[in-house]
Amino acid sequence: MSESPSGLVYLVGAGPGDLGLVTFRAKELIGSCDVLVYDYLAHPELVKWCRPGCEVFYVGKKAGCHTVPQEEIENLLVAHARAGRKVVRLKGGDPYVFGRGGEEARALAREGIPFEVVPGVTAALAAGAYSGIPLTYRNLSTSLVLLTGHEDPVKTESQVDWRAYGALQNATLAIYMGMGRIGFILGELQAGGLAADTPAAVVQWATLGRQRSVAGTVADLEERVTRAGLGAPAIIFVGEVVREHEMIDWFERLPLFGRRVAITRTRDQNSELREKLEALGAEVLELPLITISKDVDKVGFVEILSELGTYDWIVFTSANGVRYFFEDFLKGYSDIRALGLLRFACIGRATAREIERHFIKVECMPDTATGSSLADALIATGSLDSAKVIVVTGNLNRDRLVKKLEAARAIVDRMQLYKTEKTDLTADPVADHFRTRGADAILFASSSAAESYHAQGDALALGPDAQKPLVGSIGEQTTESLSEFGLPPDFVAPKPSLDALISSLIARLGPVKRV
Ligand code: SAH
């Protein structure tokens, strides 16, 4: 908890959805706050940036339930700040654009609570950029109007005079929360003088893999949108600039745009797979099948550490292992040189990066991220005969690796630093998404991924309307495990790398039908 006697509230814009569009400042604050309050438009991944012990409150709409009333949210912010905590209130997009951030700031000011505001990329800017609609354009549009289509039924004075906006010249209108009344809004704009052939478009779920857009004119957009089944959250754009959409759209042309791909989050290298798929436009459902938590076998740890100088190699199979190792190592030693000439080996680029953060060179890393290829790579160094090797493990894994090393006459000691457990998927939003919608494909990048997917089979059973995914495997060993679990792959990467797996996926799925 922060030490300030009076806490502080940060009203923070979380951007439109894509994690890459969250500001650096926002990320820093999420990672250091005591309390995080967020709602439904914020990306679920953001919550994972919190430090352990941070208290998290969800105040958005849940299926069938109402949002937490505004007053209650304000009280929550005030109460935690009064208790001396550093509170981050995350809001989709920008807090001061149709986000009620102004009201929250006012409530804090009234109560004498110090606060700061961090802007975010608002949905209209993001939707324009990701759909090829420049919001202003020389000679075509010289002004941009952000409007809300949502009417507050009690406050008639807040109603927008749509006809007046229909009379504007050379303007781009960006309408938030307008999908429920799109026909009425477009009709009123025309009644105000806007030509029926004025270009207009809707962009739903902008910046995310599930983005959809439909373009037309103010006269036919409603019908097109209904046909395509688009709904909230979306921005309605009106103005000549919408014509550019055809010409300069880039996001919706990406090879995996419009595709939903499930992956299994088992080990750290999977975030690399997610990033690669998202960069190609896919909507990625990362199924959190297992939970890894620190669980150090203290006796073993101290024993090994006291004889550290006698070991030749230390072997890591996950970035978590590296993190936990250094956390505890640095509690006992304040100097990295206490590691002596210990050589480092690992699998996965994320693991190597974590080691290199300590300015330590990774001397052995196989191209394929499996325990067995790591053993082969170590054997190939010719240094294992009578060598002492530390293998950092979880509670279950790595028998194969250890056996192979021992067969090559190494003396292996296991250092257990974490444990791996099944995640409870019943209430998990990503798992729920997968069960109800399914996916175009599910990718397996390791045998352990196949194993944990199989172990969670019941919790992932697809609903009646869900799309049955094609199964993709990264290579021989994973294919073997998949077949063993009754899930023979539909396609296999020609060589065991994430890029090859993704290329086979693209080839297998073929071009996407655009709406
Ligand atoms: N403060 C937010 C707006 C909140 S109001 C911001 O600055 O963006 C909620 C409305 O924002 C939605 O109904 C929709 O109109 C729009 N919106 C938010 N995220 C969006 C997205 N990813 N794509 C399209 N519209 C979005």
Side-chain angles (χ1 to χ4, degrees):
M1 207 177 283
S2 75
E3 284 169 10
S4 56
S6 150
L8 193 68
V9 176
Y10 297 87
L11 300 175
V12 178
D18 183 300
L19 280 184
L21 296 174
V22 175
T23 63
F24 199 74
R25 176 83 174 128
K27 184 167 186 186
E28 196 178 73
L29 289 170
I30 296 168
S32 62
C33 65
D34 303 312
V35 177
L36 179 79
V37 181
Y38 75 107
D39 47 36
Y40 93 111
L41 283 175
H43 196 294
E45 203 62 29
L46 293 170
V47 176
K48 301 198 188 108
W49 293 346
C50 293
R51 54 176 188 75
C54 172
E55 218 176 324
V56 177
F57 292 93
Y58 175 76
V59 293
K61 263 186 216 146
K62 281 197 186 123
C65 300
H66 279 295
T67 332
V68 177
Q70 187 63 24
E71 201 186 311
E72 226 172 275
I73 298 175
E74 288 163 13
N75 292 342
L76 186 75
L77 301 179
V78 170
H80 282 285
R82 286 243 162 88
R85 301 194 177 112
K86 177 170 170 179
V87 182
V88 166
R89 164 69 170 126
L90 259 191
K91 292 180 153 290
D94 179 86
Y96 280 3
V97 180
F98 307 126
R100 305 189 76 169
E103 289 165 55
E104 288 173 21
R106 183 175 244 276
L108 295 167
R110 198 179 48 225
E111 298 291 331
I113 306 279
F115 65 91
E116 290 180 18
V117 182
V118 180
V121 177
T122 189
L125 305 191
Y130 276 63
S131 65
I133 299 176
L135 303 180
T136 67
Y137 201 104
R138 217 147 58 99
N139 302 331
L140 273 187
S141 168
T142 49
S143 66
L144 166 67
V145 188
L146 305 186
L147 292 155
T148 169
H150 179 71
E151 296 289 3
D152 190 334
V154 266
K155 292 191 203 150
T156 41
E157 74 272 16
S158 74
Q159 282 185 4
V160 174
D161 180 358
W162 294 105
R163 293 188 184 197
Y165 289 105
L168 283 182
Q169 300 292 311
N170 298 333
T172 304
L173 308 183
I175 305 161
Y176 291 64
M177 295 174 278
M179 294 302 280
R181 304 193 318 147
I182 184 170
F184 170 78
I185 292 170
L186 296 174
E188 286 292 288
L189 291 172
Q190 290 177 76
L194 193 73
D197 62 354
T198 307
V202 163
V203 184
Q204 182 186 19
W205 288 117
T207 76
L208 295 169
R210 59 204 288 207
Q211 175 176 317
R212 295 288 174 277
S213 68
V214 167
T217 64
V218 286
D220 69 11
L221 186 65
E222 183 193 11
E223 194 219 316
R224 284 172 186 257
V225 164
T226 314
R227 218 180 321 131
L230 262 58
I235 297 286
I236 306 168
F237 286 114
V238 176
E240 289 299 325
V241 287
V242 170
R243 271 188 224 291
E244 299 301 309
H245 174 66
E246 271 300 306
M247 183 82 174
I248 64 169
D249 163 46
W250 56 275
F251 183 61
E252 298 187 10
R253 287 166 208 252
L254 292 173
L256 286 176
F257 177 78
R259 300 298 195 184
R260 193 161 54 248
V261 182
I263 61 174
T264 53
R265 173 144 40 82
T266 51
R267 287 189 197 295
D268 314 82
Q269 68 261 31
N270 278 18
S271 66
E272 196 181 330
L273 180 56
R274 177 168 62 78
E275 279 161 27
K276 281 177 189 279
L277 291 166
E278 281 180 348
L280 293 167
E283 173 187 359
V284 179
L285 301 183
E286 200 174 351
L287 301 169
L289 301 177
I290 59 169
T291 310
I292 295 174
S293 55
K294 193 168 173 184
D295 184 28
V296 180
D297 162 19
K298 290 210 178 66
V299 177
F301 185 75
V302 170
E303 248 170 46
I304 292 179
L305 236 54
S306 64
E307 290 179 17
L308 207 53
T310 67
Y311 287 92
D312 299 284
W313 283 97
I314 184 162
V315 177
F316 291 94
T317 55
S318 80
N320 283 308
V322 180
R323 237 168 271 137
Y324 299 147
F325 174 79
F326 279 103
E327 266 171 31
D328 284 14
F329 170 78
L330 293 172
K331 277 186 204 153
Y333 299 89
S334 56
D335 190 334
I336 200 81
R337 286 171 297 184
L339 287 170
L341 295 175
L342 195 60
R343 303 171 77 184
F344 279 63
C346 75
I347 52 175
R349 230 175 305 146
T351 317
R353 269 200 299 268
E354 199 61 38
I355 294 172
E356 285 158 3
R357 267 166 31 98
H358 300 276
F359 302 99
I360 290 168
K361 188 173 149 196
V362 174
E363 287 189 63
C364 180
M365 182 176 96
D367 292 336
T368 319
T370 66
S372 166
S373 21
L374 177 58
D376 291 337
L378 273 166
I379 293 166
T381 63
S383 63
L384 284 195
D385 196 350
S386 309
K388 283 186 76 183
V389 180
I390 306 166
V391 175
V392 173
T393 66
N395 52 337
L396 322 160
N397 55 359
R398 300 305 156 205
D399 271 356
R400 234 191 214 164
L401 166 66
V402 170
K403 282 204 183 102
K404 257 190 155 171
L405 296 177
E406 283 174 344
R409 301 172 55 88
I411 302 152
V412 181
D413 284 320
R414 281 171 225 242
M415 179 187 265
Q416 192 203 307
L417 295 186
Y418 53 93
K419 66 170 185 254
T420 309
E421 290 162 308
K422 263 205 230 175
T423 310
D424 178 11
L425 291 180
T426 41
D428 182 85
V430 181
D432 187 47
H433 215 56
F434 180 72
R435 286 186 293 254
T436 47
R437 296 171 69 214
D440 292 283
I442 178 162
L443 300 183
F444 292 93
S446 68
S447 292
S448 59
E451 215 171 283
S452 36
Y453 181 79
H454 175 70
Q456 291 276 27
D458 293 343
L460 290 171
L462 293 175
D465 299 325
Q467 182 180 3
K468 191 171 177 295
L470 292 172
V471 176
S473 156
I474 197 165
E476 220 174 282
Q477 220 174 305
T478 307
T479 300
E480 224 172 80
S481 308
L482 283 167
S483 308
E484 213 174 282
F485 297 127
L487 206 67
D490 297 288
F491 60 95
V492 182
K495 65 177 195 188
S497 75
L498 295 182
D499 289 330
L501 177 60
I502 293 171
S503 301
S504 343
L505 168 74
I506 295 172
R508 181 62 201 243
L509 290 177
V512 183
K513 268 201 306 211
R514 299 186 59 174
V515 275

